[in-house]
Amino acid sequence: MKALILVDIQNDFVPGGALAVPEGDLIVPLVNRLQPHFDLVVATQDWHPANHGSFAANHAGRNPGEMIDLAGLPQILWPTHCVQDTEGAKFVAGLDRRQWDRVFTKGTDTGIDSYSGFFDNGHRQATGLGDYLKAKQVTEVYVVGLATDYCVKFTALDAVQLGFKTHLIEDACLGVNLQPGDVVAAVDEMKKAGVEILRAEKILEPATA
Ligand SMILES: [Zn+2]
């Protein structure tokens, strides 16, 4: 069984959103074309309480981009984003949801952030995604979504750790590049960890790719 994991394709992560990935919405048509090629499709959803510790606004005198210590972990402060039950936390309207088997929310614990779709950043709590995929006999996962250098990367790295044969569909992801080169470095880190990097055409047109 092969599963496609759609990471955080939400309004706040595309242009017009609070923490927009440049051109983040451009991956949506490609993600929609990829979905029918998989046995199982799941999505992750960044889903924070308004008082979440990763928001700069919740730390007096702090600005987005600054580093703090949160529950013993280094934490980048972000603009307020993906607050539960807000427009920004909703999935992008053009995203085809008909084939989705399940949505896994993350970042719900005020005191710790969660980039990966599998665990929080301290690996203290699981979201249930790993157990769910294993119960469905999934052995291979393909990761797409936003953002390559944060949630996509940590989802793919955790997938490898959990024993899934893990692939990154590079052109169906986009990154933030807070620092120039972050996306390139993230792809390199995934490759070194054992993630296969491929382009969507290999799945859409396997005979010619
Ligand atoms: Zn978040």
Side-chain angles (χ1 to χ4, degrees):
M1 283 280 279
K2 292 181 184 181
L4 181 65
I5 304 176
L6 315 186
V7 177
D8 297 6
I9 308 177
Q10 296 168 254
N11 288 332
D12 269 342
F13 294 130
V14 299
L19 185 45
V21 175
E23 304 187 319
D25 51 329
L26 296 187
I27 64 167
V28 171
L30 187 56
V31 169
N32 287 344
R33 285 173 61 210
L34 285 164
Q35 294 189 61
H37 294 263
F38 289 86
D39 306 313
L40 194 137
V41 180
V42 295
T44 70
Q45 187 173 30
D46 213 28
W47 192 246
H48 298 304
N51 63 345
H52 195 260
S54 74
F55 298 164
N58 292 328
H59 301 271
R62 296 290 193 164
N63 294 305
E66 290 181 28
M67 294 290 295
I68 62 158
D69 177 285
L70 187 64
L73 297 171
Q75 172 71 48
I76 302 174
L77 292 175
W78 300 107
T80 299
H81 65 277
C82 295
V83 174
Q84 294 170 6
D85 299 309
T86 63
E87 202 58 32
K90 286 184 183 166
F91 291 106
V92 172
L95 194 57
D96 187 347
R97 301 177 57 175
R98 287 174 296 178
Q99 207 193 319
W100 293 10
D101 294 279
R102 220 173 123 176
V103 171
F104 291 85
T105 56
K106 63 189 185 65
T108 55
D109 183 342
T110 306
I112 192 162
D113 209 357
S114 189
Y115 295 150
S116 163
F118 290 97
F119 299 99
D120 63 53
N121 290 359
H123 276 223
R124 292 167 195 168
Q125 296 273 337
T127 61
L129 174 57
D131 287 343
Y132 179 82
L133 295 176
K134 286 185 176 173
K136 295 281 186 185
Q137 320 293 335
V138 170
T139 53
E140 285 190 50
V141 300
Y142 289 71
V143 184
V144 301
L146 306 170
T148 314
D149 36 354
Y150 288 93
C151 295
V152 168
K153 178 180 94 170
F154 286 100
T155 299
L157 293 177
D158 278 345
V160 172
Q161 285 292 313
L162 288 168
F164 296 105
K165 186 163 169 44
T166 306
H167 312 262
L168 177 82
I169 307 177
E170 195 175 10
D171 48 335
C173 303
L174 276 169
V176 183
N177 271 330
L178 276 188
Q179 306 291 332
D182 278 358
V183 170
V184 171
V187 171
D188 199 47
E189 190 180 340
M190 286 185 265
K191 199 184 288 181
K192 285 196 175 110
V195 177
E196 188 215 9
I197 315 293
L198 73 158
R199 296 185 65 81
E201 64 189 12
K202 191 172 170 189
I203 290 158
L204 299 172
E205 300 154 35
T208 55

